[in-house]
Structure formats: C-alpha cells, structure tokens
Amino acid sequence: MENFTFENPTKLIFGKGTISRLATEIAPEKRIMVCYGGGSAKRNGVYQQVKDALKDHFSIEFWGIEPNPDYDTVMKAVALARQNDIDYLVAVGGGSVIDATKFIAHAIPYDGEDPWQLAIHNELITRSTPLAVVLTLPATGSEMNHRGVLSRRRTKEKVSFITPFSFPRFSILDPEVTYTLPRKQLSNGIVDSFMHIMEQYMTTTGNSVLMDRWAEGALLSLIEIGPKVLEHPTDYDTMANFMLCTTMALNGFVGMGVPQDWATHRIGYELTILYGLDHAETLAVVFPALLTILKEQKKEKLAQYAERVWHIQDGNTDQKADKAIEKTVTFFRQMGLRTRMSEYGIPAEAVDIIYQRLKKSGAVYGEKKNVDAEMARAIFAQSL
Ligand code: NZQ
Ligand code: ZN
C-alpha cells in the first residue's frame, strides 16, 4: 500500500426536504451569491426552495453557467461578486455549476493579473471564498471533493484543478430534486461515477484488500442500480442510492493508498473541447479502447474485476480480461451511451489532430505515466 494523507472536511446533508437547511448552515451576516446553470432549477422548484431558505440572508444570483463551464462566464460571476462584496457562495446544480463556483471562489480574492493561471498552477490558490452546494445532478462527486474542471473555449483548453480550497463547506443532497433529470443526464451520471471508481481501481492487483473490495462493492451497486435509475427515475430509494454512490465514487474514500489511472478522463477532455461530447460520453468511448491497448499491463486486475464484479470464472487470465472488457462495453451501451468515436460522427482525422495537441502539451497520464501522445493515438485509433 502506498503512503497517503486523507482529509475530507465537507459536511454532507442528505435526504428529503433538506434544502431548507441553507437557512441555518450559513451565518446570518454572510453576503451570499447563489450560482445557477441555464434554468432547470427554476423549472423544477429547486430555485424556490433555495430562495425560501435564504429569505433572511442577503443574497444575489448569478445565472448562465453552461455545461463544461467556460472561463469567460465564470469571470463575469467573479466581477459581480466583487461588486457586491460577496463572502459566501452557493452552487445550485451539477458538476458544471459546482466546478465553476469553485473557481469563482478562488478567483474572488486573487489579486494576480491573470486568474486563468489559478487553473493551471494550482499552488497559486492560497485562499478562497467559502462555498456550499445544493446538488441537482448525481454524477461527478464534485459536491464532496477538491477537484474542479474548467474549459476555455477561446483557446480550446479544458483543464482540471485540484486544491484543498475547493472542498465545499457543506453539500445538500436531496434525491427528490433528481426526478426531473433528462434520461441522457442519468446515463451520463451512471457511467461517469462508474468510471470514477475504475480510475482508482483498474491498475494493478494487491495494493489494498479493503480498497479493492470497496471499489468492487461500489461497481456492483452501480450495475444493480443503473437499470433501475433509467426505469424508475422518480423512485426515492433508487435515486437516493444512486446519489450516494456517485458521491462516494469520487470523494477520496476509494483511493486510499492505491495507484490511480485517470488517463481516460484526461485524454477524454479532448473529445469534449474539440467535438462537443458530454464528459461521460468521452469516457464510454475512450475506456474500452484504453483497456484493449493496455491489456497486458492491466491483465491481472482485469481478471480480478471479471471474477468479482462480472462473476466470470471460466477461462484463463487473458480470456477473463477480454470478457471483462466486453462486459464493460455492454454495460455502457445498456446505460444508453455509445462507445465508438464514429458513432458520434467524429472523423478518422481526429486521431491525428488529438495526437498533435497532446504531443505539444507533453503531458503523460496513467498509473505508469506511459499514456503519452503516441499511446493516446493508439487508443483513439482503437476507439474509431
Ligand atoms: O444548466 P441547467 O439548466 O441547470 O441544466 C443542467 C445541464 O444542462 C441539467 N440539470 C442539472 N440538474 C438538473 C438538470 N436538468 C433537470 N433536472 C435537474 N435536477 O443537466 C445538464 C448537465 O449538467 P452538468 O452540470 O454539466 O453535468 P455534470 O454533473 O455531468 O457535470 C459535468 C462537468 O463536470 C466535470 C466535467 O468535466 C464537466 O465539465 N467533472 C467534474 C469532476 C469533479 N469536479 O470532480 C469530475 C468529473 O470527472 C468531471 O470531469
Ligand atoms: Zn468524470
């Protein structure tokens, strides 16, 4: 097992009718800015619940944070917050609104000339405006982690920033607010959270007995819950289980002392920034191809995953690994996602375009840091 330090200061407030807790969790003298996406919160009643809860606080609103939040949008929010001496932020939405609000929180007190540097050089983040979350889309785990992802369409960049200042003070998870989610977002949430576990699990065997069992338990839960979520999206217990799974998938608990991969996530960003795929769609396209290309390296763990998660007992290690990849593809497709670039109309030239971009960046990913531009080219070619 590797050395690790674990800390997660985010308080979780979970269950029916809990949005009203905003009233008491935030000190009465705070000057609050509530950040929203494009309008789903107004249509499903979440907005009214937040407004009612904050009726005795000073609060203003910022609307229009788009999926895959853009730097230019968040900087408008930073200007509004500064004009109004805001000292507390509340994000109401999914991963995009939460991540944008995290960046807004870091940028408000930053007095350097170019706040984009905060997204690139995370060590520049040394203080931050406190933030809380009302989660409306179970998927990313952003409500209880120290990660954020920001896009800059003008320069075709999508970057991930990690800092302890990004942990929300508290997050409210009321499963009833998920009832209005479109089917596509449910599919995305299932696959994204499945992949968060996989990025912390599908590496090498023998690192941690407990973390392996924990990850396998979460994967089995998602496999059990996934079809129910798609069939019964207004069943409270189904959605409550789903919401808890997605939070637990990426709040640090399954990653203690184990190597992590994250190559699928990082090279997948290219498909969002260049071709507009949703985050989860990129994962469903890249991961099966990555497993195929890196099968030798990950074979032992693939066989363990085959046995314990998909109950495949027949065959040798190699055959089990192949079956595990097949089962994963079938699951993603059952959840409603496509698994090949061509199914999204992405042309074969994309492979070389992405290769050139990754080569220029010089970045390397994966638990063995061997997913470089060349390896990524092979993965994207495999996923065509
Ligand atoms: O904008 P509104 O109108 O609110 O609509 C949103 C949006 O169009 C809608 N929605 C949210 N809650 C709803 C709802 N519609 C009906 N009813 C509700 N209750 O859903 C759409 C998608 O929302 P978005 O926040 O973009 O989705 P998601 O939560 O999947 O977030 C994706 C972003 O998170 C990043 C991704 O890269 C992407 O930018 N990630 C963040 C991570 C993190 N911070 O830890 C980890 C992830 O791996 C991921 O990279
Ligand atoms: Zn993800």
Side-chain angles (χ1 to χ4, degrees):
M1 201 185 296
E2 296 177 359
N3 289 3
F4 68 92
T5 302
F6 177 80
E7 188 178 16
N8 191 320
T10 302
K11 175 174 177 178
L12 268 195
I13 301 173
F14 195 100
K16 281 181 198 179
T18 45
I19 293 177
S20 60
R21 291 274 295 275
L22 282 171
T24 49
E25 293 291 332
I26 305 176
E29 71 278 8
K30 290 292 177 194
R31 294 175 63 82
I32 303 168
M33 182 165 86
V34 189
C35 300
Y36 293 97
S40 72
K42 266 207 175 135
R43 291 188 293 276
N44 64 13
V46 173
Y47 171 70
Q48 197 55 49
Q49 291 186 59
V50 171
K51 220 172 138 100
D52 290 349
L54 293 178
K55 66 181 185 331
D56 295 327
H57 284 79
F58 170 86
S59 73
I60 61 168
E61 294 164 13
F62 182 83
W63 286 87
I65 295 168
E66 58 281 268
N68 303 302
D70 196 86
Y71 177 66
D72 292 345
T73 307
V74 301
M75 288 315 293
K76 288 182 194 149
V78 171
L80 183 69
R82 286 181 176 158
Q83 278 158 24
N84 288 278
D85 294 325
I86 293 304
D87 59 5
Y88 209 103
L89 297 166
V90 177
V92 180
S96 294
V97 174
I98 304 169
D99 289 358
T101 307
K102 288 177 174 180
F103 192 82
I104 295 163
H106 309 323
I108 290 172
Y110 181 65
D111 47 23
E113 260 176 36
D114 176 15
W116 176 251
Q117 295 307 316
L118 296 173
I120 313 282
H121 302 290
N122 304 164
E123 69 283 0
L124 293 174
I125 303 168
T126 54
R127 63 206 161 109
S128 201
T129 308
L131 76 104
V133 168
V134 175
L135 181 67
T136 66
L137 196 177
T140 63
S142 188
E143 64 279 7
M144 199 182 178
N145 72 32
H146 59 339
R147 295 162 182 261
V149 186
L150 192 61
S151 296
R152 198 177 193 185
R153 286 164 178 76
R154 259 194 299 144
T155 51
K156 288 196 166 31
E157 288 169 274
K158 179 167 179 171
V159 299
S160 142
F161 55 96
I162 296 187
T163 160
F165 292 95
S166 279
F167 279 112
R169 297 294 166 102
F170 66 92
S171 283
I172 296 180
L173 278 60
D174 179 346
E176 289 189 313
V177 310
T178 65
Y179 294 172
T180 52
L181 279 165
R183 191 179 168 93
K184 186 185 183 204
Q185 297 303 337
L186 297 172
S187 303
N188 284 350
I190 297 161
V191 170
D192 191 20
S193 51
F194 191 90
M195 279 306 305
H196 293 156
I197 308 278
M198 280 305 220
E199 299 279 25
Q200 301 165 85
Y201 169 77
M202 187 44 66
T203 56
T204 50
T205 54
N207 300 295
S208 164
V209 174
L210 178 62
M211 288 302 117
D212 275 4
R213 294 285 182 194
W214 195 320
E216 287 152 4
L219 294 171
L220 285 163
S221 304
L222 282 165
I223 291 165
E224 183 180 331
I225 293 166
K228 293 182 187 160
V229 166
L230 297 182
E231 260 173 62
H232 307 289
T234 57
D235 177 69
Y236 182 81
D237 285 325
T238 299
M239 298 314 278
N241 274 296
F242 176 42
M243 216 171 193
L244 191 54
C245 269
T246 58
T247 299
M248 293 303 290
L250 193 49
N251 61 0
F253 281 79
V254 286
M256 292 185 211
V258 294
Q260 304 196 9
D261 183 335
W262 295 104
T264 299
H265 266 73
R266 301 308 287 267
I267 66 175
Y269 289 172
E270 295 294 308
L271 296 178
T272 296
I273 204 76
L274 295 174
Y275 302 100
L277 266 60
D278 287 354
H279 170 60
E281 292 173 336
T282 73
L283 306 175
V285 164
V286 173
F287 190 54
L290 176 139
L291 290 179
T292 306
I293 298 294
L294 292 178
K295 195 178 98 178
E296 276 312 304
Q297 180 183 314
K298 291 177 182 284
K299 203 155 74 178
E300 299 298 325
K301 199 62 175 274
L302 274 167
Q304 179 180 320
Y305 163 66
E307 287 165 16
R308 296 188 186 177
V309 176
W310 294 109
H311 311 299
I312 296 162
Q313 308 304 339
D314 295 338
N316 58 27
T317 304
D318 205 58
Q319 289 161 331
K320 284 178 183 166
D322 285 338
K323 280 190 187 157
I325 299 173
E326 260 174 58
K327 283 279 188 188
T328 308
V329 170
T330 306
F331 178 64
F332 289 169
R333 298 190 79 88
Q334 275 170 352
M335 292 305 102
L337 292 193
R338 290 167 271 183
T339 52
R340 295 217 160 256
M341 293 211 304
S342 49
E343 293 179 276
Y344 287 98
I346 299 175
E349 297 88 85
V351 176
D352 208 52
I353 294 171
I354 297 173
Y355 166 70
Q356 296 297 346
R357 281 168 53 89
L358 292 173
K359 198 170 162 197
K360 201 169 155 201
S361 87
V364 286
Y365 303 114
E367 76 271 16
K368 292 205 186 302
K369 296 270 170 275
N370 59 351
V371 182
D372 56 6
E374 307 285 338
M375 185 81 85
R377 177 161 61 181
I379 293 169
F380 284 110
Q382 174 70 30
S383 76
L384 269 173

